[in-house]
Amino acid sequence: MNIGSAARAAGLPVKTVRYYADIGLVEAPDRTQTGYRRYDEAAVRKLAFVRRARDFGFSIEECRELLSLYEDKSRSSADVRAIAAAHLEEIEEKQRQLAALRDELALLVTACRGDDRPDCPILDRLA
């Protein structure tokens, strides 16, 4: 199938498929005599794999590692788990940071009178 069909099947924009090939995340198939790339089902599965990994927030480099493990039939699931566990810790840390920001902003919004006076604890905190 051509790149447009492969991109649709994987749930990605064509531009993203090209980008992934340009950075070596997925291998671009050789060109036919007419100059088009023909993607097979295995290539589409890899593209969809990367899309789902990115949906989980894995970085390009983490996707590269996960894809390598996916293709390695002698892999250890412990290696995959380690990458996922580290990413989960990053997500949980971001959640803690966002919760702290939310709490602080909620206090500031509550403290601001929101009237015609110029004093504003929100602007004071930002300054």
Side-chain angles (χ1 to χ4, degrees):
M1 69 184 78
N2 66 24
I3 191 169
S5 297
R8 275 190 300 282
L12 293 168
V14 170
K15 189 173 183 178
T16 302
V17 173
R18 286 190 179 113
Y19 172 69
Y20 288 166
D22 288 346
I23 64 171
L25 184 59
V26 294
E27 189 174 324
D30 292 331
R31 293 187 183 275
T32 63
Q33 289 181 352
T34 56
Y36 293 100
R37 296 189 187 278
R38 304 300 303 173
Y39 289 80
D40 60 13
E41 290 300 318
V44 172
R45 277 194 303 276
K46 289 176 188 176
L47 289 167
F49 178 96
V50 173
R51 180 191 50 81
R52 287 190 298 272
R54 296 290 288 156
D55 287 347
F56 274 101
F58 286 103
S59 69
I60 293 290
E61 201 48 48
E62 289 168 328
C63 287
R64 193 180 307 279
E65 291 178 62
L66 289 169
L67 191 56
S68 173
L69 289 167
Y70 172 70
E71 293 173 325
D72 180 3
K73 300 305 177 199
S74 65
R75 70 182 169 262
S76 164
S77 65
D79 295 336
V80 179
R81 187 178 193 278
I83 294 168
H87 187 63
L88 179 60
E89 286 180 31
E90 291 172 13
I91 291 171
E92 289 171 343
E93 178 57 29
K94 282 182 184 177
Q95 285 179 316
R96 285 188 290 276
Q97 292 172 357
L98 285 172
L101 283 172
R102 182 203 61 228
D103 293 347
E104 184 175 359
L105 186 56
L107 286 172
L108 291 171
V109 168
T110 301
C112 181
R113 291 183 185 159
D115 56 17
D116 293 334
R117 300 177 56 156
D119 60 315
C120 178
I122 299 169
L123 293 177
D124 291 343
R125 176 65 173 101
L126 293 175

